[in-house]
Amino acid sequence: MEKIKETRKPKIGIYTMGLKTDWSQFEGLRERMIGYGEFIAKKVSDMGAEVSFYGLVDCEEEGRKCGEFFNEKGVGLIFAHAGTYVTSASVLPVHQICKAPVVILNLQPTAQINYQKTSTGE
């Protein structure tokens, strides 16, 4: 059977949000958050989407850059990964600049948090 028309891959923008002041307080946290976002981007890409992964939005300036990046890429949907606490001033510019609908992902890398061995940094 021939296709009537060629299907297009959905264009999805993904970024991870975090709090810039945390990076100096918790060694390796910034890199882990970026890694988690890359993991999510790969999973979404493996499902057949065209993914534009911005990286980390942790301040207002990064939020503006991210919104512009998503507009340049022509994304039709944004997945915002809530990696750590973040201020609205950091992420609001993303969505003021890029008007694509957004899904906020509240994911953690394990099935359950080990509260006995977890610190503030974790």
Side-chain angles (χ1 to χ4, degrees):
M1 179 184 254
E2 285 186 47
K3 288 184 180 181
I4 295 173
K5 65 179 185 176
E6 201 60 37
T7 55
R8 294 183 295 168
K9 290 182 174 187
K11 292 183 176 185
I12 298 178
I14 299 176
Y15 73 95
T16 294
M17 47 180 120
L19 187 64
K20 192 172 192 172
T21 58
D22 283 350
W23 313 146
S24 62
Q25 295 177 45
F26 306 109
E27 185 178 335
L29 182 60
R30 181 181 186 279
E31 293 73 21
R32 285 189 11 224
M33 291 302 110
I34 293 169
Y36 295 156
E38 290 170 336
F39 175 83
I40 294 166
K42 182 177 180 337
K43 289 291 189 182
V44 173
S45 179
D46 289 348
M47 288 188 262
E50 182 181 321
V51 173
S52 296
F53 179 60
Y54 177 78
L56 192 60
V57 171
D58 60 0
C59 64
E60 185 179 345
E61 180 183 356
E62 288 301 323
R64 283 193 300 275
K65 288 179 187 177
C66 182
E68 292 166 3
F69 173 79
F70 288 156
N71 276 343
E72 289 170 13
K73 299 294 183 178
V75 303
L77 178 67
I78 297 171
F79 286 146
H81 170 231
T84 68
Y85 172 82
V86 68
T87 63
S88 60
S90 297
V91 298
L92 187 60
V94 176
H95 308 287
Q96 288 175 323
I97 293 168
C98 182
K99 303 296 186 185
V102 61
V103 176
I104 298 175
L105 304 175
N106 184 17
L107 303 171
Q108 62 188 40
T110 59
Q112 182 177 338
I113 296 172
N114 184 343
Y115 288 101
Q116 273 93 26
K117 295 184 178 181
T118 299
S119 66
T120 303
E122 290 297 311

